[in-house]
């Protein structure tokens, strides 16, 4: 039963092959048995899950239907869940029980999902390896010595190991797409403003966006349907109608114009990944797509711009954790300054402290113009590159990451080396565009992802292309040994 996708679960429940309660029990047992190897969960919510599963079964018995009614999922531990620990992977919030549900959580609960637990993540979503969590690193089910990617590494490892069919995640600079690539999943970062950020603990507010992680594009469509939509509680949420993503999966790719940026294939890209990307291009050509070489000339400036803007916003967002209002407070503070210093010093890990310092520096008088303002100008140039590219093509295709998942600890002493791995994903966040990563093959037994980018609000196009690709390839069906 643990191999079922969301789409198959919906059919099985509708046909009364099993109940949501039965399925939930199977998955909870599987998590208890297998997760000690992976560390993909921070909290399990067994009681809530069984309660929600029983309620979903009653709703179905009363004639209700719906693709998510009775579907077991988990939430990345930065979505606030009422009365349940919401740690954001940090010691700072180890004792924090959210007083309300994030919009994503309440929307999905209303659609009938069953919350199995809260997944592990890089502390405050800062990272690309899921090694900065206060709760310990997450392991990649494809090779337990390797990282699962980050920051949504817990959601990714759990779904890849078939502990559950799908999970929520967030993407500020790649944290849905990169772990999807590293664990052989399909992950979608929606257009900025498509999914409400209300109740999502902020890292960099102008870049953060929630989205689905699942094994197939079809399941991403199902989960996104439950997450997307206007929310008056989020002032950056956009009031655009939400299309029926599942209904749009079967469009023909005949004549689809795919842009392949020449800058994507420079030095730094593992040639074995380059070859797999070429194979995926050939596959899409067979389905009728037309390939065009394009250029994104400002891509080379994106990493430095991102690593100024994201820390700048983080330094501001994280100032609320002061040891006074909520979160960790040091023992016996001598005075107010000591309280701030020790609470923040003890509550935040090294990577978070580094980002707060970089961000506060970039925003300080004298440096604001040189760094922050300059980075914002680059951000506009990156967006302009995409806008002109999308005058000529319907989607942009390339690798999700320059290398496959690295070994645990390999980049710990060199943060910049890890930042450079974000080269293909962060531009979509800077521009606010939707992006999807899907399985495209393996290198040394480790999964490789191909990334698709589309114009604003064209999530449906991404899902359609990925679904058609998955109907004709079987990379996404491969299962890690031992799971
Ligand atoms: N790796 C990037 C960072 O560390 C992106 C993380 C994310 O998308 N949350 O900032």
């Amino acid at each position: 039963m643990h191999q079922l996708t969301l789409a198959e679960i919906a059919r099985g429940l509708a046909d009364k092959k099993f109940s949501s309660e039965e399925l939930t029990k199977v998955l909870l047992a599987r998590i208890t048995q297998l997760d000690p190897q992976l560390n993909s969960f921070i909290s399990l919510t067994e009681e809530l899950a069984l309660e929600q599963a029983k309620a979903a079964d009653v709703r179905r018995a009363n004639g209700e239907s719906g693709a998510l009614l009775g579907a077991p999922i988990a939430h990345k531990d930065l979505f606030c869940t009422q009365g349940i620990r919401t740690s954001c992977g940090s010691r700072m919030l180890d004792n924090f029980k959210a007083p309300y549900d994030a919009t994503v959580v309440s929307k999905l609960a209303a659609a009938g999902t069953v919350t199995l637990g809260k997944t592990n993540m890089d502390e405050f979503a800062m990272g690309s390896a899921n090694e900065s969590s206060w709760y310990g690193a997450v392991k990649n089910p494809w090779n337990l010595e390797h990282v699962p990617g980050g920051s949504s590494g817990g959601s990714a490892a759990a779904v890849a190991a078939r502990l559950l069919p799908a999970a929520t995640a967030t993407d500020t600079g790649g944290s849905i797409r990169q772990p999807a690539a590293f664990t052989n999943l399909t992950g979608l970062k929606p257009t900025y403003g498509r999914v409400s950020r209300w109740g999502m603990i902020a890292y960099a507010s102008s870049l953060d966006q929630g989205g689905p992680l699942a094994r197939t594009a079809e399941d991403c469509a199902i989960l996104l349907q439950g997450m997307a939509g206007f929310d008056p509680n989020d002032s950056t949420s956009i009031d655009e109608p939400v299309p029926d993503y599942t209904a749009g999966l079967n469009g023909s790719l005949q004549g689809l114009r795919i842009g392949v940026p020449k800058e994507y294939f420079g030095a730094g890209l593992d040639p074995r990944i380059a070859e797999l990307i070429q194979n995926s291009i050939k596959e899409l050509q067979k389905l009728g797509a037309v390939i065009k070489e394009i250029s994104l000339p400002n891509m080379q400036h994106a990493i430095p711009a991102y690593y100024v803007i994201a820390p700048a916003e983080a330094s501001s967002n994280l100032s609320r954790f002061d040891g006074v209002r909520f979160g960790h407070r040091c023992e016996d503070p001598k005075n107010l300054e000591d309280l701030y210093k020790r609470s923040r010093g003890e509550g935040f890990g090294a990577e978070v402290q580094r980002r707060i310092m970089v961000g506060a520096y970039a925003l300080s008088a004298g440096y604001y113009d040189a760094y922050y303002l300059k980075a914002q100008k680059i951000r506009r140039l990156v967006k302009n590159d995409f806008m002109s590219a999308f005058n000529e093509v319907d989607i942009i295709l390339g690798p999700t990451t320059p290398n496959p998942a690295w070994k645990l600890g390999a980049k710990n002493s060199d943060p910049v080396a890890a930042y450079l791995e974000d080269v293909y994903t962060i531009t979509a966040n800077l521009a606010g565009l939707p992006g999807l990563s899907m399985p495209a093959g393996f290198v040394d037994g480790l999964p490789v992802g191909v990334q698709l980018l589309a114009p604003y609000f064209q999530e449906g196009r991404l899902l359609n292309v990925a679904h058609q690709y998955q109907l004709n390839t079987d990379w996404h069906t491969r299962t890690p040994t031992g799971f």
Side-chain angles (χ1 to χ4, degrees), residues 15 21 25 48 100 115 137 171 199 220 289 315 332 352 439 458 462:
D15 296 346
E21 188 182 350
K25 283 183 177 158
L48 171 69
Y100 62 95
T115 304
D171 191 311
C220 282
S315 74
D332 303 322
V352 173
Q458 296 306 317
L462 295 175

Side-chain angles (χ1 to χ4, degrees), residues 264-305:
Y264 279 11
F265 294 88
L269 174 64
D270 183 326
R272 297 167 301 173
I273 293 187
E275 197 183 320
L276 292 173
I277 301 306
Q278 292 303 334
N279 293 347
S280 70
I281 290 175
K282 283 183 206 135
E283 202 59 55
L284 291 167
Q285 276 176 313
K286 278 194 230 157
L287 299 175
V290 189
I291 306 300
K292 195 171 168 17
E293 187 185 85
I294 57 163
S295 175
L296 299 171
N298 290 292
M299 177 181 154
Q300 52 172 323
H301 307 302
I303 289 186

Side-chain angles (χ1 to χ4, degrees), residues 163-431:
L163 305 186
L164 74 175
T168 59
T170 62
D171 191 311
T172 304
S175 284
I176 293 177
R177 292 160 288 157
Q178 186 253 19
F182 279 10
T183 59
N184 207 43
L185 298 181
T186 307
L188 175 73
K189 172 206 125 40
T191 307
Y192 184 76
R194 174 78 294 182
V195 169
S196 170
R197 291 185 299 109
W198 197 71
M200 222 175 85
I201 296 175
Y203 161 16
S205 313
S206 78
L207 301 158
D208 297 342
Q209 188 62 199
L213 257 176
R215 298 202 288 272
T216 64
E218 185 182 25
D219 279 9
C220 282
I222 292 171
L223 195 56
L224 179 63
Q225 201 77 48
M227 298 172 79
F230 176 63
D231 178 6
N233 285 333
D234 171 2
S235 61
T236 59
S237 166
I238 296 177
D239 197 356
E240 276 275 318
V242 181
D244 183 336
Y245 293 116
T246 309
L249 291 173
N250 288 314
S252 159
L253 305 193
Q254 200 61 47
L256 178 87
R257 298 168 303 166
I258 299 183
V260 180
K262 59 173 192 249
E263 290 83 2
Y264 279 11
F265 294 88
L269 174 64
D270 183 326
R272 297 167 301 173
I273 293 187
E275 197 183 320
L276 292 173
I277 301 306
Q278 292 303 334
N279 293 347
S280 70
I281 290 175
K282 283 183 206 135
E283 202 59 55
L284 291 167
Q285 276 176 313
K286 278 194 230 157
L287 299 175
V290 189
I291 306 300
K292 195 171 168 17
E293 187 185 85
I294 57 163
S295 175
L296 299 171
N298 290 292
M299 177 181 154
Q300 52 172 323
H301 307 302
I303 289 186
Y306 172 89
Y307 278 99
V308 169
I309 294 169
E313 293 186 18
S315 74
S316 165
N317 275 326
L318 271 58
S319 63
R320 64 172 66 99
F321 304 105
D322 55 6
V324 176
R325 285 169 283 194
F326 51 88
H328 176 75
R329 173 187 292 218
C330 69
E331 297 281 342
D332 303 322
K334 287 197 271 302
N335 51 42
L336 188 61
E337 197 178 327
D338 185 45
L339 168 76
Y340 287 156
K341 273 192 183 159
R342 280 202 290 128
S343 300
R344 288 169 68 81
E346 293 163 8
F348 292 136
E351 185 60 27
V352 173
Q353 293 188 21
R354 180 179 300 122
R355 307 258 181 134
I356 291 172
M357 283 191 281
V358 168
Y361 182 83
L363 288 176
S364 58
Y367 297 107
Y368 180 92
D369 289 353
Y371 297 113
Y372 184 72
L373 210 59
K374 190 70 142 284
Q376 292 290 17
K377 289 179 179 171
I378 293 171
R379 183 173 192 175
R380 175 54 64 100
L381 294 176
V382 167
K383 178 186 165 180
N384 291 349
D385 281 358
F386 279 121
M387 294 303 99
S388 36
F390 283 128
N391 284 329
E392 297 175 49
V393 297
D394 302 311
I395 62 165
I396 293 175
L397 179 148
T400 308
T401 62
N403 294 295
W406 55 88
K407 277 206 161 157
L408 285 149
K411 293 190 196 290
N412 282 358
S413 56
D414 186 359
V416 175
Y419 301 168
L420 292 174
E421 297 291 318
D422 295 337
V423 59
Y424 298 119
T425 49
I426 52 173
T427 50
N429 303 78
L430 289 172

